[in-house]
Amino acid sequence: MGRAGGGPRGIAARAGGWSAQHRWAAVGIWVLFVLLAMVAGSAAGRVELSESDQLSGETTQAARIAKEAGIDEPAGESVLMQARDGSVKATDPAFRKAVDEVMKAVEDTGEVSAVTSPYDSKSLSRDGFSALVQFDVRGDPETAHERIEPVLDAVAGVQDRHKELRIEQIGGASMGKTFEEAFGKDFQRAEYSAVPVALGILLIAFGALVAALLPVLLAITAIMATMGLMGLASHLMPMGDSANSVMLLVGLAVGVDYCLFYLRREREERAAGRDGRTAILIAAATSGRAIVVSGVTVCVAMAGMLFTGIGEFESMGLASLIVVAVAMAGSVTVLPALLSLLGERVEKGRIPFLNRIKRGKNGGNGESRVWTRVLGGVLKRPLVSLLVATGALVAIALPAVGMKTQNFTLDQEFGDSLPIVATYDRLNEAFPGGADPAEVVVKADDINAAPVQQAIADFRERAVSSGASQGPVEVVKHDAENLAFVYVPLVGGSDQDKAEKSLTVLRDEVRPATLGKVDGLEAPITGQVAGSKDFNDQMAGAVAPVFAFVVVFAFGLMLLSFRSLTIAVTSIVLNLLSVGAAYGILTAVFQHGWGASLIGAEGVGAIISWLPLFLFVILFGLSMDYHVFVVSRIREAKLQGRGTREAITHGVVTTAGVVTSAAVIMVAVFAIFGTLSMQSMKQMGIGLAAAVLIDATVIRGVLLPAVMALLGERNWYFPKWLNWLPDLSHEEPAPPVAGRAPHRDDDGHREPVRV
């Protein structure tokens, strides 16, 4: 905070001072920015992430070849036909009659093409009791699920006439429609309920409608602006479907957090007797600076996802980075203007009987009585507190040592809640690998050349003789494009581990011995199993660089922002401990099943493969919100001349209210996603909620003060040989509240400030 009569220094302080002085201009600029971002994004349109943008392995190579050739593979569907009691074989007249009826029924809809009889394609099971009628859905395969309902109705009509048979349709379009109907509204309810939940908690925290609306308003406008900016950014980096959900979660979390930090400090300074302008300037120089440091750190963490090389992750990382930057900018620009305009009216709409932040009590500093008592115990026995809290978190994290990650099968992801999952299992049982065949994209200079045709024939024969497939291996040629698509049902079916072994045989043994002998021929192998394996392999390779990038850059930012090697090291260690505890909870609940029945997660047995890295990046970034805010307040108290332990107590208890409110909002919002039926979303919601809860309580309320109390003056250790680094630390402390006795150590003696 600048001296009386002078302007505050630092980016956040200068921005807050200008905004408070030019209130309407600041609000107008923000509104204009949001509107322009939305209009520009709408005008530019959004480039969606395609399959060829997802990975860098064979899956992407195959998608690229098909895309360059202008071939959009149609959405394939199958009708599984089986005798219910094993009394009717697929070759019996009654069975054949039902097959003919299915073929005619789907053709009459006008929505399908290439209807194939199981007797022509040899799509009969080995036991002779099952058959597959296969066909393609006309039109764009991406929207096939929107046109599949007449076909489903036609198949259901045949089923009604043949009760002795099981006649079930399955395929990409029918599964897409089923999942959208089952879980699309589920997701919408979760997203729409997040804002009311956040508002309700803020009402309890502030006890005033206007004060509660400000954080929500900032978060919503930041999200709106980001939606537009995502459209523009998608022309440089295509956006995946999940980017929206992640952006909404992160945007709501940080938008509310940043506004809470700022508003809480401004109200505290007003309660201490400062005039409105001074209160805003102090908030700008203190909480505003903490927001900038935290925001930049979170942006760095989100940028870590850009190093995975996985399109979906890159789009999530970019979307999250944008919304954090926008929320940070709004917090230090338009928020001071709104607070200046509202003045005391920020207290309007008081709601009785709610626990609200008290003004004019406890010396006007808003210190939490609960946390004052907790901190008293921690600081009285810091070593015991440190050992107990660390031991507890290590014990919680221990199950993560045996964490098993994998992409989920349908029954793992959705359980037995949907009939189509049982159809998927029956199809794989009757036709191993038929539900998700491997797909070999063969590209040659002349697809009809004799050596190429012989190589394809040899591949088909050896795919079966090697044990990788039970057949039938089908070939679809595109003469004009000199391409051929070879479909190979993999032995293992829905068993991911066994199916991947069959895929490895195809890639490493069968292909080199057949297709690999033709010069100039490309033959990448793709498909659901291949995509899962390539994703997991690339994810495993991304872990080390992403972890290193996030940790190193976060360490550097903390070092420069607090000018303390000790603070930088403890920040990283505490955050890693928080993430480890979240991993342990996930593994215990979802892999080992401890308490899984309480949240509907029985029988999963693994963690979805993308979650550990995703959680690390998100949690590492969000944890910095609390850490920077609390440590900034401790450092500020130290600069004002308080003793180390007094500064720790003051910093923790005066931030406890806002940290608790922010954490409760995050936990509540994330927990909403933990109620979804999809196990991957349930794992994400539970993991995020548990980690934030641990971070805001055990880490910030016990471990951080215990560690800082034990370190004492060593908290501010900064080696002389690092003096060449730029100084981004806080320039001046905010003026002390009247009545304090600065420059006293823990024994009441005057103490020099060494920060």
Side-chain angles (χ1 to χ4, degrees), residues 600-619:
E602 305 97 324
V604 181
I607 308 302
I608 189 71
S609 59
W610 54 264
L611 189 57
L613 188 61
F614 174 82
L615 276 183
F616 169 77
V617 172
I618 297 293
L619 293 177

Side-chain angles (χ1 to χ4, degrees), residues 455 458-459 462 506-518:
D458 291 344
F459 180 88
R462 293 195 62 161
L506 284 185
R507 283 179 166 179
D508 297 346
E509 298 177 19
V510 177
R511 180 175 56 187
T514 55
L515 299 171
K517 291 184 176 181
V518 180

Side-chain angles (χ1 to χ4, degrees), residues 39-245:
V39 171
S42 177
R46 175 164 158 160
V47 180
E48 296 293 337
L49 190 67
S50 66
E51 188 178 354
S52 60
D53 298 319
Q54 281 285 6
L55 302 169
S56 58
E58 287 193 36
T59 306
T60 298
Q61 183 186 0
R64 176 185 54 78
I65 291 173
K67 183 178 180 180
E68 290 176 351
I71 297 175
D72 283 329
E73 288 189 83
E77 291 282 305
S78 299
V79 177
L80 175 65
M81 304 182 66
Q82 295 177 319
R84 291 186 183 275
D85 56 5
S87 61
V88 182
K89 299 197 71 171
T91 52
D92 291 348
F95 199 108
R96 284 179 174 271
K97 182 175 183 297
V99 168
D100 292 339
E101 288 185 30
V102 168
M103 293 178 64
K104 183 176 187 306
V106 298
E107 284 179 330
D108 287 348
T109 64
E111 298 289 348
V112 306
S113 63
V115 182
T116 306
S117 168
Y119 308 109
D120 296 335
S121 62
K122 298 181 180 180
S123 296
L124 302 176
S125 63
R126 290 198 170 191
D127 62 10
F129 290 101
S130 302
L132 282 181
V133 176
Q134 297 172 301
F135 53 88
D136 296 330
V137 182
R138 296 182 185 274
D140 184 357
E142 296 293 330
T143 58
H145 65 282
E146 299 173 2
R147 303 185 303 277
I148 200 63
E149 186 169 1
V151 185
L152 290 169
D153 292 341
V155 172
V158 180
Q159 171 69 91
D160 291 340
R161 297 192 296 272
H162 293 272
K163 302 296 186 182
E164 76 282 5
L165 300 178
R166 182 183 287 117
I167 303 174
E168 302 171 322
Q169 182 175 333
I170 189 170
S174 51
M175 286 193 291
K177 176 178 173 58
T178 301
F179 297 152
E180 185 176 272
E181 290 178 348
F183 304 111
K185 293 180 180 178
D186 207 8
F187 270 102
Q188 284 185 349
R189 280 196 302 270
E191 292 177 349
Y192 291 157
S193 59
V195 172
V197 166
L199 180 59
I201 296 170
L202 287 168
L203 282 172
I204 296 173
F206 286 116
L209 182 60
V210 174
L213 282 171
L214 275 181
V216 176
L217 180 64
L218 176 69
I220 290 176
T221 54
I223 290 169
M224 291 168 61
T226 302
M227 289 294 292
L229 296 177
M230 284 172 64
L232 298 175
S234 70
H235 291 270
L236 299 175
M237 181 179 292
M239 291 288 168
D241 293 335
S242 57
N244 283 347
S245 295

Side-chain angles (χ1 to χ4, degrees), residues 399-696:
V401 175
M403 180 188 287
K404 175 187 177 184
T405 61
Q406 67 179 62
N407 279 351
F408 288 166
T409 56
L410 284 181
D411 56 342
Q412 285 178 306
E413 183 73 274
F414 304 109
D416 57 2
S417 60
L418 299 176
I420 203 166
V421 175
T423 303
Y424 177 86
D425 291 336
R426 282 191 284 268
L427 175 56
N428 270 309
E429 184 178 353
F431 301 91
D436 296 307
E439 180 182 327
V440 189
V441 181
V442 182
K443 179 182 180 182
D445 293 333
D446 182 3
I447 199 66
N448 291 309
V452 175
Q453 289 299 301
Q454 184 60 50
I456 293 175
D458 291 344
F459 180 88
R460 296 178 67 185
E461 187 276 325
R462 293 195 62 161
V464 176
S465 63
S466 67
S469 175
Q470 292 182 2
V473 178
E474 300 179 1
V475 179
V476 177
K477 285 199 305 177
H478 296 269
D479 294 338
E481 291 81 13
N482 283 312
L483 290 182
F485 293 83
V486 184
Y487 300 94
V488 187
L490 295 173
V491 169
S494 59
D495 187 320
Q496 188 74 23
D497 293 336
K498 291 182 179 178
E500 285 191 7
K501 290 179 181 178
S502 299
L503 174 69
T504 300
V505 171
L506 284 185
R507 283 179 166 179
D508 297 346
E509 298 177 19
V510 177
R511 180 175 56 187
T514 55
L515 299 171
K517 291 184 176 181
V518 180
D519 293 336
L521 185 144
E522 292 183 71
I525 301 179
T526 185
Q528 190 275 330
V529 176
S532 175
K533 185 178 188 306
D534 291 348
F535 179 90
N536 287 338
D537 290 345
Q538 192 159 335
M539 181 66 69
V543 168
V546 171
F547 267 60
F549 172 82
V550 172
V551 169
V552 169
F553 272 78
F555 174 84
L557 284 170
M558 296 299 289
L559 181 67
L560 297 178
S561 299
F562 289 99
R563 206 74 176 169
S564 166
L565 183 62
T566 310
I567 294 294
V569 172
T570 54
S571 301
I572 301 301
V573 173
L574 292 178
N575 280 355
L576 290 177
L577 194 56
S578 176
V579 172
Y583 285 174
I585 291 173
L586 277 176
T587 307
V589 175
F590 293 96
Q591 185 171 317
H592 300 309
W594 303 343
S597 60
L598 300 176
I599 57 173
E602 305 97 324
V604 181
I607 308 302
I608 189 71
S609 59
W610 54 264
L611 189 57
L613 188 61
F614 174 82
L615 276 183
F616 169 77
V617 172
I618 297 293
L619 293 177
F620 207 92
L622 295 182
S623 293
M624 281 298 183
D625 272 357
Y626 304 148
H627 192 82
V628 170
F629 190 57
V630 176
V631 175
S632 292
R633 198 61 186 270
I634 294 172
R635 189 177 189 278
E636 180 188 334
K638 184 68 175 171
L639 281 168
Q640 290 174 347
R642 295 174 184 261
T644 299
R645 294 199 177 190
E646 185 189 359
I648 293 170
T649 302
H650 175 75
V652 173
V653 298
T654 54
T655 57
V658 67
V659 168
T660 301
S661 300
V664 170
I665 291 171
M666 280 199 201
V667 170
V669 170
F670 294 149
I672 291 172
F673 282 78
T675 65
L676 298 182
S677 302
M678 292 177 64
Q679 291 298 320
S680 56
M681 293 296 101
K682 191 183 291 291
Q683 290 186 359
M684 182 190 77
I686 297 299
L688 286 170
V692 169
L693 184 61
I694 289 172
D695 192 82

